[in-house]
């Protein structure tokens, strides 16, 4: 039987608008280091919690095999969890710190409504989670999902009606989340200026912290458009 989770849409919702887990899950492939993505063992100085705007992702990538759970069927997502990334003391970050087997079906099922892609779950654990000492896949995803679940979001449908600046969007996010400042997040966009992701900067104790200057993202004055897609249209 398929498992389902439905949540009421609204400004406070931090999880899926609706999520149904298929009875048969695709098995992820191994995610391995490469010449362009080598093993890099560095001390952890901070973390980034990356969340993606699902309507924009599904607008251009819905036909990809790995996107069927996120973009197909009756599932509807606003923000989804991309991952929890350990950062190094400088511009580089640790990655692929130890070899890892394929994730268990239980781990995938437990966390698929936050990160709706078995392959992305495999990637996040292999590339990032393996660098967190003492963490198992279940502990890593439980921690990242808890950080994601505590987030509250502004009315994205309202904000999507007119172009925003990245600074204004950051202010709206900060207003919805006590303790989160506009200098503690970065907004990223596609090349066409559509909202792609929000990166939240965390210290070693997973508290919101000021982002380093090299963190990336667009400037506060950059115009950001928000694609509504069927998720927002259905939520009205």
């Amino acid at each position: 039987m398929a498992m389902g989770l439905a949540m009421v849409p609204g400004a406070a919702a931090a999880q899926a608008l609706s999520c149904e887990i298929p009875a048969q899950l695709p098995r992820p492939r191994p995610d391995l280091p490469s010449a362009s993505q080598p093993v890099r063992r560095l001390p952890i100085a901070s973390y980034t919690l990356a969340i993606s705007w699902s309507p924009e992702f599904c607008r251009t990538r819905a036909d990809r095999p790995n996107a069927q759970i996120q973009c197909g069927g009756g599932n509807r997502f606003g923000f989804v969890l991309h991952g929890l990334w350990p950062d190094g003391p400088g511009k580089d970050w640790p990655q692929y710190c130890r070899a890892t087997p394929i994730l268990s079906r239980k781990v995938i099922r437990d966390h698929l409504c936050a990160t709706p892609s078995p392959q992305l779950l495999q990637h996040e654990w292999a590339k990032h989670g393996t660098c967190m000492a003492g963490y198992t896949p279940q502990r890593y995803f439980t921690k990242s999902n808890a950080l994601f679940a505590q987030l509250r979001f502004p009315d994205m449908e309202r904000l999507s009606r007119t172009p925003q600046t990245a600074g204004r969007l950051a202010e709206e996010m900060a207003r919805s989340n006590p303790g989160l400042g506009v200098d503690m997040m970065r907004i990223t966009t596609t090349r066409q200026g559509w909202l792609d992701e929000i990166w939240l900067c965390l210290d070693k104790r997973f508290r919101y912290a000021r982002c380093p200057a090299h963190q990336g993202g667009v400037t506060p004055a950059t115009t950001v458009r928000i694609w509504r897609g069927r998720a927002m249209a259905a939520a009205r």
Side-chain angles (χ1 to χ4, degrees):
M1 294 179 61
M3 298 172 62
L5 171 66
M7 299 193 70
V8 176
Q15 298 283 350
L17 301 174
S18 65
C19 175
E20 183 174 320
I21 301 174
Q24 298 297 322
L25 292 173
R27 182 174 172 81
R29 305 179 308 278
D31 189 274
L32 304 172
S34 65
S36 62
Q37 293 290 323
V39 172
R40 195 158 55 215
R41 297 184 179 95
L42 296 171
I44 296 174
S46 57
Y47 293 90
T48 297
L49 185 73
I51 59 174
S52 301
W53 181 237
S54 185
E56 173 59 31
F57 174 87
C58 291
R59 179 164 75 109
T60 58
R61 285 162 280 195
D63 59 345
R64 295 185 180 183
N66 292 335
Q68 295 309 300
I69 295 172
Q70 181 172 348
C71 306
N75 287 347
R76 293 187 294 118
F77 297 93
F79 282 102
V80 296
L81 173 61
H82 184 159
L84 177 63
W85 305 338
D87 294 317
K91 291 185 178 182
D92 288 330
W93 56 88
Q95 61 181 21
Y96 295 108
C97 292
R98 62 183 190 270
T100 183
I102 297 296
L103 293 173
S104 71
R105 283 184 167 81
K106 182 181 186 313
V107 167
I108 293 172
R109 283 190 175 277
D110 286 348
H111 304 287
L112 200 59
C113 282
T115 303
S117 165
Q119 191 60 49
L120 181 56
L121 287 167
Q122 181 72 32
H123 171 76
E124 292 303 303
W125 165 247
K127 184 175 182 179
H128 303 291
T130 59
C131 296
M132 295 170 63
Y135 275 73
T136 63
Q138 188 68 267
R139 184 184 177 191
Y140 170 71
F141 290 117
T142 297
K143 182 62 180 179
S144 60
N145 286 8
L147 293 167
F148 176 56
Q150 75 183 14
L151 287 172
R152 296 296 178 261
F153 298 109
D155 184 345
M156 297 298 290
E157 196 278 334
R158 173 180 59 82
L159 294 177
S160 72
R161 293 293 172 181
T162 56
Q164 307 292 318
T165 63
R168 168 94 187 280
L169 180 56
E171 289 171 0
E172 293 276 357
M173 276 291 294
R175 212 173 353 254
S176 300
N177 294 274
L180 178 64
V182 296
D183 59 348
M184 300 173 179
M185 70 188 97
R186 294 287 188 259
I187 309 296
T188 74
T189 68
T190 67
R191 291 181 179 179
Q192 294 74 35
W194 294 95
L195 173 64
D196 181 28
E197 295 198 325
I198 299 178
W199 298 347
L200 299 116
C201 300
L202 310 170
D203 65 16
K204 291 179 67 172
R205 296 176 63 183
F206 303 104
R207 300 172 302 189
Y208 297 130
R210 181 177 297 176
C211 295
H214 63 260
Q215 187 71 14
V218 299
T219 65
T222 300
T223 298
V224 178
R225 295 183 292 172
I226 301 170
W227 182 261
R228 287 192 296 279
R230 67 188 184 98
M232 291 294 99
R236 291 201 299 272

